[in-house]
Amino acid sequence: MSAKSPAAPAAGPRTPLVAVAGNPNTGKTTLFNRLTGSDQKVANYPGVTVDRHAGHMRLPGGLDISVLDVPGTYSLSARSREEEIAIQSIAGLGGEAPPDLVVLVVDATQLSRNLYMALQILELEVPLVVALNMTDVLESRSESIDAEALARELGVPVVSISALKGAGIQELERSIERTLTNPKTALPGPRWTPESTELRADLDRIADSMPPDWIRGSPTRARALAAWALLSVDAPDELHGVPDAVRRLALERRARAAADGRQVDAEIIRGRYDWIDSRMGTFVRPSRRGRERSERADTVLLNPWLGFPIFLATMSVVFLALFSWSEPAIHAIESTFGWVSDLVRGAMGPSIARDFVTEGLIAGVGSVVVFLPQILLLFLFIGVLEDTGYMARVACLMDRIMRSMGLNGRAFVPMLSGYACAVPAILATRTMERQRDRTLTMMVIPLMTCSARLPVYTLVIGALFPPTMLLGFAPVQSLLLVLMYLFSTVLALIVAAVLSRTMLKAPSVPLILEMPPYRMPHWPSVLRQMVQKSRAFLSEAGSVILLCTIALWGLLSFPKDPGLEARRDVLAAQVATLEAEASTPDAQARLDVIAAEQADIAGQQLRSSYAGRLGHAIEPTIEPLGFDWKIGVGLIGAFAAREVFVATMGVVYGIGDADEESATLRDQIHKEKRANGEPVYTPLVGLSLMVFFALACQCMSTLAAVRRETKSWAWVAFLFAYMTALAWVASFVVYQGGRLAGL
Ligand code: GDP
Ligand code: MG
């Protein structure tokens, strides 16, 4: 933007410019209207349709000022035009007049997130006054914020206001006036500086290339702008007004950092949040009324006798809801993908390309999306439990048990998340301060029964165990499923106990948890959390699952035997003509014969495929567990991502697209015979298979996440080795033990 901004000071003695900035919906416009009354103008920012509200007012001491309502943004990167205008208005770049003071409107109910921008503004060395808004809401929630403590830590004035009710506005105006007339004391400098020397070097190099009118003689500001450029340079939009030299350098430094495995974004963002999070406890205080109410609730919820039953009941409700609520969505997703696949199959002629699209691509995307309902729901429940303040009590209740296993009380939430998906769960370990606690938690999270194991359990239980009742009232199939969940949980605790006494020995630190007051959940932040966690699943696990499904399709489909291919096409054509005929008994009989031959061809194709050969190659190692080479093919696929197993078994048994509830796949599993005529699948084999899936480390995405969070290949290797060894031994014991017992 090179056009002169409309609010540029008029000639003569300059009117100080005050910019009202903050996150969206924090009450900026409400405050702006209170300050300027009717004395305001609306225009557009040059070249964009973003409204630019500017006005005038006289402060209590008689000072006249211009006021600008800056568009709301969560941070000052330039990922949208609003954000770009926000940084330009605050830092005074790109033709915007530099403000003499920024009033940052902070939503007191969202303090941590709102303070992020405060730190950015301090780094830019722009005089700042924090208007702590929505304090009326805070009071109704029985909380209060220690504005003095906040002012002390930030080094700038903090004034509690309610823009809506008009409370504290005078005090704010006086504070603005004091700061404007005394600008030197208003520059406390940055609250965060990069920890790593590499990042510091990156920032300093970029800072050197900044034009002087950006830096204004302040090295701090130059570094802040460098951090801004580094964070924004991969934005989809161009960085308007940023000199080419800066942009090039930022891109180059970013690429170099990425090549070294450094994540500059994460380091900068986390550095600022660490500063905020480590002080939140001193800023936020529950009010006396809220404290008393919470204390009364805690006499019940933390009661040694009542606390646990209530906790177990809560968790049971959560898990029941998790399964029953997700079911309709899962069915809808499956039928949608089935429908799309049929549509594509109909539209494309028979070819490898068609098979790739339907069996590789569409099936792959479908197998990722199908997990979303459960993952979204679990993170919704966790979010609600955290936001109401109950999770802190749970951590406190569980602390004794967790600590006796060597785990940190804070490991509870990540381990609970592991029931949905290990990848976001591993990211959730970041709430723990000690790396040792994080590593230990990461080593056991993959044992939790994630949603990818569920289709496998459902298939095996449905096919091999009768739908009868135990003792007349307990359904055997459901009991088995519950048993599998318990099994993995108990094993995770045992493994934690062993590791914490051997490889990860460390003095246990008592959990110091601040008990937040109970309150109604704040839905916007619950939903945001839910979306963020699910996005972590989609972007990290999702892409790996998709790639593996496609790779597996290739392994299963090649090499092609031209003879078999030709025969298959002939049969397909015959089926088409027969189906077009009237459904005479004769046509039906011929269709059955053809179907048998088609299944036979699929079997031959599989045996000669790369995957089939691999299955044969590993057969000797899995035979002692009761598995044959066909299960081996499924296991190979499952090492990339577990749920691939079900689809693979469908291909192995020549049943187009199988899911865990498909009756044909269950029948086929029932009928499958060994060479000596014994059935391949017995309940004992099923049990052995489930135990194997419960324990084996079959998830590339988990390994990738552990590598990133521990920065160590050794831990990745250890995780893979111990889990897979444990799985093999446990399945061996189950199968051979069962055989000895005559099962
Ligand atoms: P902006 O997006 O930052 O400009 O925020 P607005 O000024 O448009 O306010 C967003 C919403 O918050 C509106 O519904 C306001 O009425 C409300 N609001 C603003 N200040 C307060 C406050 O101090 N207390 C309460 N309870 N609501 C407020
Ligand atoms: Mg507004």
Side-chain angles (χ1 to χ4, degrees):
M1 271 181 282
S2 55
K4 199 78 178 154
S5 91
R14 200 175 154 281
T15 325
L17 174 62
V18 172
V20 178
N23 291 9
N25 291 315
T26 51
K28 291 180 300 299
T29 302
T30 314
L31 176 65
F32 175 77
N33 289 339
R34 278 221 175 257
L35 293 176
T36 60
S38 57
D39 187 7
Q40 46 175 279
K41 273 203 312 260
V42 184
N44 270 3
Y45 282 91
V48 283
T49 53
V50 180
D51 278 352
R52 185 179 201 288
H53 295 258
H56 287 93
M57 75 168 298
R58 176 162 295 176
L59 292 169
L63 186 64
D64 279 320
I65 57 168
S66 308
V67 187
L68 178 68
D69 187 6
V70 176
T73 61
Y74 289 107
S75 74
L76 295 177
S77 43
R79 281 158 204 276
S80 67
R81 291 314 294 266
E82 272 88 359
E83 286 187 348
E84 210 175 281
I85 291 170
I87 175 117
Q88 286 172 337
S89 307
I90 290 169
L93 307 175
E96 285 292 319
D100 298 281
L101 174 85
V102 171
V103 172
L104 182 69
V105 183
V106 162
D107 178 350
T109 65
Q110 299 282 316
L111 190 62
S112 155
R113 178 155 56 80
N114 280 240
L115 285 179
Y116 185 82
M117 203 159 148
L119 295 192
Q120 283 186 300
I121 298 174
L122 288 174
E123 287 167 33
L124 286 170
E125 304 226 288
V126 180
L128 177 67
V129 169
V130 172
L132 196 59
N133 195 27
M134 309 261 182
T135 46
D136 55 312
V137 185
L138 210 61
E139 272 162 36
S140 71
R141 283 224 212 137
S142 322
E143 283 175 8
S144 68
I145 288 176
D146 187 344
E148 273 173 34
L150 190 53
R152 211 169 31 243
E153 293 288 346
L154 289 176
V156 298
V158 176
V159 185
S160 294
I161 65 163
S162 167
L164 190 67
K165 308 241 157 110
I169 302 295
Q170 284 247 319
E171 169 72 50
L172 176 66
E173 289 175 356
R174 275 196 290 273
S175 191
I176 293 173
E177 200 158 28
R178 264 198 306 274
T179 314
L180 278 175
T181 46
N182 214 349
K184 285 220 181 60
T185 57
L187 287 178
R191 286 309 188 236
W192 168 81
T193 46
E195 228 170 69
S196 76
T197 44
E198 293 101 329
L199 181 60
R200 237 168 324 180
D202 288 335
L203 294 182
D204 289 341
R205 269 298 282 127
I206 301 171
D208 285 344
S209 70
M210 294 273 170
D213 62 319
W214 282 36
I215 304 175
R216 309 220 182 98
S218 158
T220 312
R221 189 180 150 95
R223 195 182 260 179
L225 286 169
W228 166 69
L230 206 54
L231 281 183
S232 310
V233 76
D234 69 332
D237 253 331
E238 289 175 56
L239 288 174
H240 292 264
V242 173
D244 273 345
V246 176
R247 186 206 312 268
R248 256 200 319 275
L249 206 56
L251 268 175
E252 181 197 309
R253 283 281 164 167
R254 225 189 133 80
R256 191 182 304 173
D260 291 348
R262 286 190 298 128
Q263 292 189 306
V264 285
D265 303 36
E267 192 181 340
I268 295 174
I269 294 170
R270 217 161 102 190
R272 291 183 182 132
Y273 271 118
D274 282 348
W275 188 92
I276 295 168
D277 291 342
S278 61
R279 286 163 182 78
M280 280 301 285
T282 58
F283 300 153
V284 184
R285 305 221 165 285
S287 75
R288 160 145 356 150
R289 195 162 54 93
R291 240 188 348 252
E292 282 168 1
R293 251 190 312 184
S294 290
E295 274 164 15
R296 264 201 307 281
D298 276 342
T299 54
V300 177
L301 295 176
L302 285 181
N303 178 293
W305 298 105
L306 292 176
F308 262 103
I310 294 175
F311 163 64
L312 288 180
T314 314
M315 285 300 135
S316 312
V317 170
V318 163
F319 273 90
L320 280 178
L322 187 67
F323 292 125
S324 55
W325 293 4
S326 61
E327 203 160 303
I330 292 177
H331 270 285
I333 292 171
E334 279 171 349
S335 44
T336 308
F337 275 92
W339 177 76
V340 171
S341 182
D342 285 346
L343 213 64
V344 172
R345 212 186 301 272
M348 299 170 77
S351 63
I352 291 185
R354 182 188 75 173
D355 291 349
F356 171 77
V357 172
T358 57
E359 289 162 24
L361 214 54
I362 297 178
V365 174
S367 64
V368 172
V369 176
V370 81
F371 287 109
L372 270 184
Q374 277 193 354
I375 288 177
L376 282 168
L377 273 175
L378 187 64
F379 285 119
L380 174 70
F381 294 137
I382 291 179
V384 169
L385 290 176
E386 278 191 314
D387 217 49
T388 50
Y390 185 56
M391 208 58 116
R393 273 77 184 181
V394 171
C396 180
L397 275 175
M398 297 299 291
D399 188 45
R400 280 263 299 278
I401 302 179
M402 301 287 270
R403 206 132 44 101
S404 64
M405 303 291 161
L407 286 159
N408 182 307
R410 287 216 174 83
F412 181 75
V413 176
M415 286 177 70
L416 189 61
S417 312
Y419 285 112
C421 173
V423 172
I426 285 166
L427 301 187
T429 60
R430 290 182 181 174
T431 53
M432 285 175 262
E433 280 131 36
R434 273 202 306 183
Q435 183 62 39
R436 173 265 176 197
D437 293 343
R438 292 191 62 197
T439 307
L440 179 62
T441 313
M442 283 186 248
M443 288 302 117
V444 296
I445 281 174
L447 285 169
M448 312 308 281
T449 305
C450 68
S451 40
R453 284 158 168 118
L454 210 54
V456 179
Y457 292 168
T458 314
L459 171 68
V460 171
I461 292 177
L464 300 177
F465 293 90
T468 49
M469 297 285 173
L470 194 67
L471 307 173
F473 69 93
V476 168
Q477 296 186 336
S478 314
L479 272 180
L480 257 174
L481 195 58
V482 172
L483 218 63
M484 290 312 298
Y485 272 83
L486 280 180
F487 173 68
S488 70
T489 311
V490 170
L491 248 127
L493 292 178
I494 295 176
V495 169
V498 171
L499 287 182
S500 67
R501 280 161 181 75
T502 51
M503 297 172 69
L504 285 165
K505 209 163 173 166
S508 89
V509 276
L511 182 69
I512 303 166
L513 266 183
E514 188 134 342
M515 289 289 157
Y518 290 105
R519 61 172 205 207
M520 291 304 288
H522 183 252
W523 292 106
S525 47
V526 169
L527 294 180
R528 189 154 13 88
Q529 276 268 341
M530 183 170 115
V531 169
Q532 273 171 5
K533 299 273 170 62
S534 307
R535 203 181 290 156
F537 160 75
L538 276 186
S539 64
E540 298 200 14
S543 45
V544 175
I545 296 176
L546 176 61
L547 282 179
C548 291
T549 318
I550 293 174
L552 204 66
W553 169 82
L555 285 179
L556 284 164
S557 316
F558 297 96
K560 297 257 182 224
D561 177 330
L564 286 179
E565 287 295 291
R567 182 69 191 144
R568 202 182 66 164
D569 292 346
V570 170
L571 290 177
Q574 285 180 359
V575 169
T577 38
L578 279 172
E579 275 175 348
E581 278 174 27
S583 54
T584 56
D586 182 40
Q588 193 51 51
R590 278 173 60 199
L591 274 176
D592 287 346
V593 173
I594 294 177
E597 190 178 345
Q598 278 175 326
D600 184 50
I601 289 178
Q604 289 185 43
Q605 157 74 43
L606 173 76
R607 219 156 308 158
S608 58
S609 73
Y610 294 119
R613 293 179 207 172
L614 275 174
H616 277 294
I618 66 163
E619 196 173 23
T621 61
I622 55 173
E623 225 167 9
L625 315 183
F627 310 155
D628 68 352
W629 70 271
K630 290 185 180 176
I631 300 181
V633 175
L635 286 183
I636 290 168
F639 264 97
R642 294 178 180 90
E643 62 287 350
V644 171
F645 182 76
V646 175
T648 315
M649 292 321 271
V651 180
V652 168
Y653 293 120
I655 308 150
D657 17 58
D659 64 51
E660 67 275 18
E661 307 207 344
S662 120
T664 20
L665 181 52
R666 277 188 210 166
D667 286 350
Q668 201 61 40
I669 282 181
H670 246 322
K671 279 192 275 184
E672 192 70 8
K673 294 272 190 296
R674 291 183 200 275
N676 60 10
E678 278 177 35
V680 172
Y681 292 92
T682 60
L684 185 59
V685 171
L687 204 60
S688 166
L689 194 58
M690 287 199 290
V691 165
F692 191 85
F693 269 88
L695 303 178
C697 186
Q698 298 164 299
C699 180
M700 295 287 185
S701 328
T702 299
L703 294 176
V706 168
R707 156 70 198 155
R708 219 195 33 223
E709 297 297 310
T710 58
K711 300 192 178 68
S712 137
W713 283 112
W715 281 118
V716 172
F718 173 73
L719 178 66
F720 182 82
Y722 104 76
M723 281 183 71
T724 305
L726 194 62
W728 195 91
V729 170
S731 290
F732 182 84
V733 169
V734 165
Y735 184 69
Q736 300 298 340
R739 296 265 293 206
L740 285 179
L743 290 176

